[in-house]
Amino acid sequence: MTVSLKELKNEALEPISYYMKMFDDTFSMVRHFHPYFELMYCQSGQFFFEVCETDERGKKRFINHKISAGEFIIVDAMVPHRIYNTKAMIYNVEFKVRNKAEYNPFGVFDVFSLNYSNFMRQGAWAQIAEEKNGYCILTDMESVEMSFRVFLDELFHGTNNFEQSFAAQSKLVTLFAEIGKCKTIGKPNGCLWYIRRTQEYIAHHFASNIKIDDIAEFIDISKAYLQRIFHEYTGTTILKTINSVRVERAKQLLMSTSLSVKQICGQSGFRNSQHFIYEFKNTVGVTPSDFRKRFRYKMYDHQATHHESGPFLEE
């Protein structure tokens, strides 16, 4: 069954392929399309997303977008696309539209009665479903990364009984809600906008020598005012937030690469190894080397054997 987001009736969405893994620049993907709705999140690093668009004269052409950490893509069914120059940690899931009479694991939809067609006709998702070229690129200004990771964790732990199936559906709804909130964000009055912009700046520049003055200039307010409202709203300082983001990046590199601790120190944005080890142990509870020994090979990748995907051949 091939159904676009705006054509959804009262069907279910079955996650048929999903992963959370690190790609290096040797990875290559051909232009392709499939009858699945896809979510793709750049957790760290960057990659290029090439997608087919139709211009005003009806002529198809491929457009390239650079996707950086904290950005994500929603791709509708049958939209030709590919990713390339990929050096990033990516979260991905593809959903197959299924009739609930055919797909109702452990009777979950007898209890969980969400109608996804109504969901796609409300608020921000109505705008996403109506996108002219079948895709949407957004910046995570809410909790999409965390919600995506929690949803994938649930899938990899298995949906082998009613409780697990219900938990997975609940987490999927939360993920969709967080995505929708990112679509609706404008520039509100008040402090929250400045907090979000600060977090966005840190997510994109953690590997460089970030200065609070740079962030304040970026969002166009005074340094002192920014530091005060950030602490009031988040309960922590900007510097601690920067170090926290860098530690998370280091954790991903320790798990998914063979880079040395010294190399990871530099790529995570720390200026010296002593500071890196101190902040890492203070946050995680163990040194970077001990963390790698425990968690290095923890990586998720589920690729459906019945996956229907075809190459896009230009006419």
Side-chain angles (χ1 to χ4, degrees), residues 194-253:
Y194 298 116
I195 305 304
R196 287 170 173 162
R197 293 291 282 169
T198 299
Q199 292 168 334
E200 177 187 7
Y201 187 94
I202 293 171
H204 289 180
H205 298 85
F206 66 86
S208 62
N209 187 21
I210 301 178
K211 296 182 175 62
I212 299 178
D213 299 84
D214 298 332
I215 302 174
E217 182 179 355
F218 173 70
I219 59 178
D220 197 25
I221 61 172
S222 75
K223 175 182 175 181
Y225 179 61
L226 174 60
Q227 289 177 300
R228 180 170 63 82
I229 63 171
F230 192 92
H231 188 270
E232 288 177 357
Y233 273 76
T234 67
T236 189
T237 67
I238 295 175
L239 288 177
K240 286 182 179 178
T241 301
I242 293 170
N243 284 330
S244 177
V245 171
R246 287 171 172 166
V247 167
E248 285 300 313
R249 170 57 173 164
K251 286 167 62 178
Q252 295 292 347
L253 292 173

Side-chain angles (χ1 to χ4, degrees), residues 105-106 108 154 158-170:
F106 301 96
V108 67
E154 195 67 50
T159 53
N160 304 312
N161 54 49
F162 171 79
E163 287 76 15
Q164 290 176 329
S165 297
F166 189 89
Q169 285 298 317
S170 300

Side-chain angles (χ1 to χ4, degrees), residues 111-133:
V111 177
F112 203 102
S113 59
L114 179 69
N115 186 320
Y116 283 109
S117 64
N118 289 339
F119 198 96
M120 298 300 170
R121 289 165 177 74
Q122 300 293 327
W125 273 97
Q127 301 174 45
I128 294 170
E130 292 290 340
E131 288 286 346
K132 176 185 174 184
N133 288 294

Side-chain angles (χ1 to χ4, degrees), residues 55-294:
D55 63 21
E56 296 79 5
R57 297 172 294 175
K59 184 176 178 60
K60 293 184 181 299
R61 58 175 181 166
F62 277 88
I63 304 297
N64 297 286
H65 300 275
K66 182 179 178 181
I67 308 300
S68 301
E71 295 181 311
F72 60 97
I73 311 164
I74 305 157
V75 187
D76 211 343
M78 305 308 288
V79 175
H81 65 281
R82 72 169 179 135
I83 60 174
Y84 67 98
N85 282 4
T86 307
K87 196 170 185 180
M89 171 65 78
I90 298 177
Y91 303 167
N92 184 280
V93 62
E94 295 175 5
F95 296 96
K96 182 175 184 177
V97 176
R98 296 283 302 275
N99 191 308
K100 287 181 181 177
E102 301 172 335
Y103 176 70
N104 187 13
F106 301 96
V108 67
F109 295 117
D110 298 336
V111 177
F112 203 102
S113 59
L114 179 69
N115 186 320
Y116 283 109
S117 64
N118 289 339
F119 198 96
M120 298 300 170
R121 289 165 177 74
Q122 300 293 327
W125 273 97
Q127 301 174 45
I128 294 170
E130 292 290 340
E131 288 286 346
K132 176 185 174 184
N133 288 294
Y135 74 95
C136 183
I137 299 173
L138 297 172
T139 298
D140 186 1
M141 299 287 280
E142 294 289 340
S143 300
V144 177
E145 190 272 339
M146 180 181 295
S147 299
F148 208 149
R149 178 157 37 89
V150 167
F151 174 60
L152 290 176
D153 280 341
E154 195 67 50
L155 293 181
F156 283 109
H157 288 153
T159 53
N160 304 312
N161 54 49
F162 171 79
E163 287 76 15
Q164 290 176 329
S165 297
F166 189 89
Q169 285 298 317
S170 300
K171 290 175 173 60
L172 176 57
V173 171
T174 300
L175 172 58
F176 281 0
E178 293 301 320
I179 289 172
K181 287 195 285 185
C182 292
K183 179 67 174 176
T184 59
I185 288 176
K187 183 173 180 179
N189 294 322
C191 300
L192 188 57
W193 168 254
Y194 298 116
I195 305 304
R196 287 170 173 162
R197 293 291 282 169
T198 299
Q199 292 168 334
E200 177 187 7
Y201 187 94
I202 293 171
H204 289 180
H205 298 85
F206 66 86
S208 62
N209 187 21
I210 301 178
K211 296 182 175 62
I212 299 178
D213 299 84
D214 298 332
I215 302 174
E217 182 179 355
F218 173 70
I219 59 178
D220 197 25
I221 61 172
S222 75
K223 175 182 175 181
Y225 179 61
L226 174 60
Q227 289 177 300
R228 180 170 63 82
I229 63 171
F230 192 92
H231 188 270
E232 288 177 357
Y233 273 76
T234 67
T236 189
T237 67
I238 295 175
L239 288 177
K240 286 182 179 178
T241 301
I242 293 170
N243 284 330
S244 177
V245 171
R246 287 171 172 166
V247 167
E248 285 300 313
R249 170 57 173 164
K251 286 167 62 178
Q252 295 292 347
L253 292 173
L254 287 164
M255 287 190 293
S256 58
T257 75
S258 58
L259 294 172
S260 68
V261 170
K262 184 176 181 180
Q263 288 173 313
I264 290 173
C265 168
Q267 291 195 20
S268 302
F270 290 99
R271 302 277 74 88
N272 61 73
S273 297
Q274 185 177 2
H275 182 213
F276 169 46
I277 294 171
Y278 171 81
E279 291 292 344
F280 193 96
K281 188 172 183 179
N282 189 51
T283 303
V284 183
V286 295
T287 65
S289 296
D290 287 339
F291 179 86
R292 167 171 272 169
K293 291 176 184 177
R294 297 183 189 183

Side-chain angles (χ1 to χ4, degrees), residues 24-44:
D24 61 29
D25 51 15
T26 63
F27 176 76
S28 178
M29 177 184 290
V30 299
R31 292 173 177 173
H32 67 286
F33 60 90
H34 43 65
Y36 313 120
F37 153 50
E38 183 174 5
L39 300 178
M40 191 183 310
Y41 189 102
C42 183
Q43 193 274 340
S44 60

